[in-house]
Coordinates of all heavy atoms in Angstrom, one line a residue:
P1 N -26.9 47.8 -26.3 CA -25.5 48.1 -26.4 C -25.4 49.3 -27.5 O -26.3 49.6 -28.3 CB -24.8 46.9 -26.9 CG -26.0 46.2 -27.8 CD -27.2 46.6 -27.0
G2 N -24.2 50.0 -27.5 CA -23.9 50.9 -28.6 C -24.6 52.2 -28.7 O -24.7 52.9 -29.6
I3 N -25.2 52.6 -27.5 CA -25.9 54.0 -27.3 C -24.8 54.9 -26.9 O -24.2 54.8 -25.9 CB -27.0 53.9 -26.4 CG1 -28.1 52.9 -26.8 CG2 -27.7 55.2 -26.3 CD1 -29.3 52.8 -25.9
R4 N -24.7 56.0 -27.6 CA -23.7 57.0 -27.4 C -24.0 57.7 -25.9 O -25.0 58.1 -25.7 CB -23.6 58.1 -28.4 CG -22.5 59.2 -28.3 CD -22.5 60.2 -29.4 NE -22.2 59.6 -30.6 CZ -22.2 60.2 -31.8 NH1 -22.5 61.5 -31.8 NH2 -22.0 59.7 -32.8
G5 N -22.9 57.7 -25.2 CA -23.0 58.3 -23.9 C -23.6 57.4 -22.8 O -23.5 57.7 -21.6
I6 N -24.1 56.2 -23.2 CA -24.7 55.3 -22.3 C -24.1 53.9 -22.3 O -23.6 53.4 -21.2 CB -26.2 55.2 -22.5 CG1 -26.9 56.6 -22.4 CG2 -26.9 54.1 -21.7 CD1 -28.4 56.5 -22.7
S7 N -24.0 53.2 -23.5 CA -23.5 52.0 -23.5 C -22.6 51.8 -24.8 O -22.5 50.7 -25.3 CB -24.7 50.9 -23.7 OG -25.5 51.3 -24.8
S8 N -21.9 52.9 -25.1 CA -21.0 52.8 -26.3 C -19.9 51.8 -26.2 O -19.3 51.4 -27.3 CB -20.4 54.2 -26.6 OG -19.8 54.7 -25.5
R9 N -19.5 51.5 -25.0 CA -18.3 50.5 -24.8 C -18.8 49.1 -24.5 O -18.0 48.3 -24.2 CB -17.5 51.0 -23.6 CG -16.7 52.3 -23.9 CD -15.8 52.7 -22.8 NE -14.8 53.8 -23.2 CZ -15.2 55.0 -23.0 NH1 -16.3 55.4 -22.5 NH2 -14.3 56.0 -23.4
I10 N -20.1 48.9 -24.7 CA -20.7 47.5 -24.5 C -20.9 46.8 -25.8 O -21.6 47.5 -26.7 CB -21.9 47.6 -23.6 CG1 -21.7 48.3 -22.3 CG2 -22.4 46.1 -23.4 CD1 -22.9 48.4 -21.4
R11 N -20.5 45.6 -26.0 CA -20.7 44.8 -27.2 C -21.4 43.5 -26.7 O -21.0 42.8 -25.8 CB -19.4 44.5 -27.9 CG -18.7 45.8 -28.5 CD -17.3 45.6 -28.7 NE -16.5 45.2 -27.5 CZ -15.9 46.2 -26.8 NH1 -16.2 47.5 -27.0 NH2 -15.3 45.9 -25.7
V12 N -22.4 43.2 -27.5 CA -23.1 41.9 -27.1 C -23.2 40.9 -28.3 O -23.6 41.4 -29.4 CB -24.6 42.2 -26.7 CG1 -25.3 41.0 -26.4 CG2 -24.6 43.3 -25.5
R13 N -22.8 39.8 -28.2 CA -23.0 38.8 -29.2 C -23.6 37.5 -28.8 O -23.6 37.1 -27.5 CB -21.7 38.4 -29.8 CG -20.6 37.9 -28.8 CD -19.3 37.4 -29.4 NE -18.8 38.3 -30.5 CZ -18.2 37.9 -31.6 NH1 -17.8 36.7 -31.7 NH2 -17.8 38.8 -32.5
S14 N -24.3 36.8 -29.6 CA -24.9 35.5 -29.3 C -24.4 34.4 -30.2 O -24.3 34.7 -31.5 CB -26.4 35.7 -29.5 OG -27.1 34.4 -29.3
I15 N -24.1 33.3 -29.7 CA -23.6 32.2 -30.5 C -24.5 31.0 -30.4 O -24.7 30.5 -29.2 CB -22.1 31.9 -30.2 CG1 -21.2 33.0 -30.4 CG2 -21.7 30.6 -30.9 CD1 -19.8 32.8 -30.0
V16 N -25.1 30.6 -31.5 CA -26.0 29.5 -31.4 C -25.5 28.5 -32.6 O -25.4 28.9 -33.6 CB -27.4 29.8 -31.8 CG1 -28.4 28.7 -31.8 CG2 -28.1 30.9 -30.7
G17 N -25.1 27.3 -32.0 CA -24.6 26.3 -32.9 C -25.0 24.9 -32.6 O -26.1 24.7 -32.0
R18 N -24.2 23.9 -33.0 CA -24.6 22.5 -32.8 C -24.8 22.1 -31.4 O -25.7 21.4 -31.0 CB -23.5 21.6 -33.4 CG -23.6 20.2 -33.1 CD -22.4 19.4 -33.7 NE -22.5 18.0 -33.3 CZ -21.5 17.1 -33.7 NH1 -20.6 17.4 -34.6 NH2 -21.6 15.9 -33.3
F19 N -23.9 22.8 -30.5 CA -24.0 22.6 -29.0 C -24.7 23.7 -28.3 O -24.6 24.9 -28.7 CB -22.7 22.2 -28.4 CG -22.2 21.0 -29.0 CD1 -21.1 21.0 -29.9 CD2 -22.5 19.7 -28.5 CE1 -20.5 19.9 -30.4 CE2 -21.9 18.6 -29.0 CZ -21.0 18.7 -30.0
L20 N -25.4 23.4 -27.2 CA -26.2 24.6 -26.6 C -25.1 25.2 -25.6 O -24.7 24.5 -24.7 CB -27.3 24.0 -25.8 CG -28.2 25.0 -25.2 CD1 -29.7 24.7 -25.3 CD2 -27.8 25.2 -23.7
E21 N -24.8 26.4 -25.8 CA -23.9 27.1 -25.0 C -24.5 27.3 -23.6 O -25.5 28.0 -23.5 CB -23.5 28.5 -25.7 CG -22.7 28.3 -26.9 CD -21.4 27.8 -26.7 OE1 -20.9 27.8 -25.5 OE2 -20.7 27.4 -27.6
H22 N -23.8 26.8 -22.6 CA -24.5 26.7 -21.3 C -23.6 27.2 -20.1 O -24.0 27.5 -19.1 CB -24.9 25.3 -21.0 CG -26.0 25.1 -19.9 ND1 -25.8 24.5 -18.8 CD2 -27.3 25.5 -19.9 CE1 -26.9 24.5 -18.0 NE2 -27.8 25.2 -18.7
S23 N -22.2 27.3 -20.4 CA -21.4 27.7 -19.4 C -21.4 29.1 -19.0 O -21.8 30.0 -20.0 CB -20.0 27.4 -19.8 OG -19.6 28.0 -21.0
R24 N -21.3 29.5 -17.8 CA -21.4 30.9 -17.4 C -19.9 31.2 -16.9 O -19.4 30.5 -16.0 CB -22.4 31.2 -16.3 CG -23.8 31.1 -16.7 CD -24.3 29.7 -16.7 NE -25.9 29.8 -16.9 CZ -26.6 28.7 -16.7 NH1 -26.1 27.5 -16.5 NH2 -27.9 28.7 -16.8

């Protein structure tokens, strides 16, 4: 993400906590 002219409008986050995030 975040490459000018290629992916500048894409944001990626990861959340790791007590429960395993599994829903799509």
Side-chain angles (χ1 to χ4, degrees):
I3 300 176
R4 182 179 298 179
I6 297 177
S7 58
S8 57
R9 290 185 173 88
I10 303 178
R11 297 162 292 276
V12 182
R13 58 172 44 210
S14 172
I15 296 174
V16 179
R18 172 179 173 182
F19 296 101
L20 187 142
E21 292 295 340
H22 200 243
S23 58
R24 286 83 165 190

